[in-house]
Amino acid sequence: MRTAPSPIPPLAWAGLILGAGIASGLVGLFAGLSGALVVLALATLIVAILAWRSATRWLARRAALATPFPEAWRSVLRQWCDHYNRLPDELRSRFEDDVRILLAEKPITGVGVEVIDELRLLVAASAVTLSLGWPTYDWEQLNEILLYPDDFDRDYEFGEDDLSGEAHPWGTVILSVPALCQSFRDPDDAYHVGFHEFAHLLDLEQTHFDGIPLGFDDAAARRWVEIREREIPQMLRGESLLDEYGAHDPVEFLAVAVEAFFETALSMRRDHRELYELLAAYFQQDPAAWDDARGLTLKPRVRPLASRRAGRTGRRRPRSRLST
Ligand SMILES: [Zn+2]
């Protein structure tokens, strides 16, 4: 069971209070007692606001985790979420807690869609699949999720075969409900609009996407770029597990690679081992090992990749608007 940690750890609180005291003292040296009192009052106000926000969040998390995970929600995850089913028991418990925390903290709004519990769970499961290996991760850059009743175009007209999802740099993720349901319904085709759009947010530094996962050190970033440059020609020839959609833009390469990592873990490990290992280390998750443990095996290839993928041409792909 995950606890409900304070979003601001005690050490940070000590630093804030100490900083406020030092700032007041320094101002007092140069501007006298009244100046020091003004600075102290301002610092106290800021610390009080932060403390209030932190306490509110802590209480919301504690309330979200106060009761056992609803059995009806567990049934939905068992029925729809392949990643949940492959997890070892202790991680499945953390997955359930993370789902509840995300649902408690991130608003999900339907636009012409009734946001029923099943949909909320599919949204949360999409994000939590990516962040499960990071116990203190909070999706700080995610502000809200909008659910649309259908695919849409760039003017946000529904029913157009253009976009099935978007991730905006200000923290809004849009998901088409039919595309989201189809993503969970077919768990091993390397297509998942939820994984795709939330993966874009892992790449978001302030208002900028650059295609390098946040948190990579220089060596990992160099390795990532080398692998990407090697993979792209294969993707363009249709000889890769990774969808050709990701070959034209480094930002989309990351999102497509994340989709394939979680949806086709065994094939990724066999055919793209270096990329698989880099992503497994990054996500602190080993989905292929968990598929091994539940007895899944890969069939030998009987046809070239290009011909196996031929039937998928013309399939709708999720896209992301990067800077509007
Ligand atoms: Zn995208």
Side-chain angles (χ1 to χ4, degrees):
M1 170 69 77
R2 252 186 95 174
T3 56
S6 166
I8 300 182
L11 204 59
W13 282 120
L16 278 171
I17 293 166
L18 185 65
I22 292 172
S24 306
L26 286 174
V27 171
L29 282 177
F30 296 102
L33 182 61
S34 58
L37 286 175
V38 169
V39 170
L40 190 59
L42 280 174
T44 304
L45 180 65
I46 292 169
V47 171
I49 291 171
L50 289 174
W52 178 79
R53 289 184 57 184
S54 179
T56 305
R57 192 171 185 182
W58 183 83
L59 288 170
R61 284 189 175 199
R62 197 174 68 162
L65 300 177
T67 55
F69 194 75
E71 197 53 46
W73 289 15
R74 191 167 285 140
S75 297
V76 172
L77 292 178
R78 281 199 190 112
Q79 181 185 348
W80 286 84
C81 186
D82 188 58
H83 192 61
Y84 173 82
N85 287 324
R86 64 158 59 116
L87 292 173
D89 288 345
E90 69 277 10
L91 284 178
R92 202 172 296 153
S93 172
R94 186 195 290 176
F95 191 99
E96 293 175 351
D97 288 348
D98 286 357
V99 161
R100 288 192 286 181
I101 289 172
L102 191 123
L103 290 178
E105 296 187 346
K106 306 297 177 184
I108 301 172
T109 305
V111 180
V113 174
E114 183 187 357
V115 184
I116 57 176
D117 272 358
E118 285 83 351
L119 287 177
R120 297 174 72 235
L121 286 166
L122 296 189
V123 170
S126 299
V128 166
T129 292
L130 273 56
S131 58
L132 183 68
W134 308 325
T136 59
Y137 192 72
D138 286 331
W139 287 102
E140 288 289 349
Q141 72 282 50
L142 172 63
N143 290 319
E144 65 172 345
I145 302 101
L146 301 180
L147 294 181
Y148 282 8
D150 203 344
D151 292 353
F152 52 98
D153 66 15
R154 291 177 183 277
D155 295 320
Y156 300 99
E157 296 289 335
F158 298 135
E160 298 297 324
D161 185 7
D162 191 4
L163 305 171
S164 53
E166 275 191 349
H168 290 264
W170 54 85
T172 298
V173 165
I174 301 174
L175 298 169
S176 152
V177 168
L180 181 65
C181 293
Q182 180 56 35
S183 299
F184 279 95
R185 199 173 288 125
D186 191 342
D188 57 5
D189 65 345
Y191 171 82
H192 197 294
V193 65
F195 299 163
H196 184 107
E197 302 306 338
F198 287 113
H200 278 315
L201 292 193
L202 302 182
D203 167 24
L204 179 60
E205 190 160 26
Q206 295 178 338
T207 58
H208 178 61
F209 297 102
D210 67 1
I212 306 289
L214 268 183
F216 266 13
D217 60 21
D218 288 348
R222 274 197 301 276
R223 213 171 138 215
W224 179 261
V225 172
E226 287 167 11
I227 292 171
R228 185 176 70 208
E229 297 308 309
R230 230 174 29 231
E231 293 284 346
I232 282 175
Q234 297 177 53
M235 294 163 74
L236 291 172
R237 291 194 299 270
E239 296 172 355
S240 171
L241 280 173
L242 307 183
D243 199 290
E244 183 260 347
Y245 179 72
H248 305 282
D249 182 337
V251 172
E252 297 304 334
F253 178 86
L254 168 60
V256 164
V258 171
E259 286 179 86
F261 175 75
F262 285 107
E263 287 243 321
T264 57
L266 288 171
S267 301
M268 274 278 279
R269 187 180 61 184
R270 181 188 65 188
D271 298 340
H272 306 265
R273 180 171 282 274
E274 202 177 352
L275 179 58
Y276 178 87
E277 288 176 350
L278 194 54
L279 286 171
Y282 177 65
F283 284 113
Q284 295 290 292
Q285 299 190 62
D286 195 349
W290 300 331
D291 281 349
D292 289 337
R294 63 175 172 166
L296 295 190
T297 53
L298 274 174
K299 297 180 183 70
R301 289 197 207 101
V302 291
R303 286 181 290 159
L305 277 171
S307 66
R308 282 195 287 127
R309 294 171 56 85
R312 293 169 51 190
T313 54
R315 189 183 54 154
R316 286 196 292 269
R317 293 296 311 176
R319 297 180 188 174
S320 294
R321 190 162 297 181
L322 303 179
S323 59
T324 55

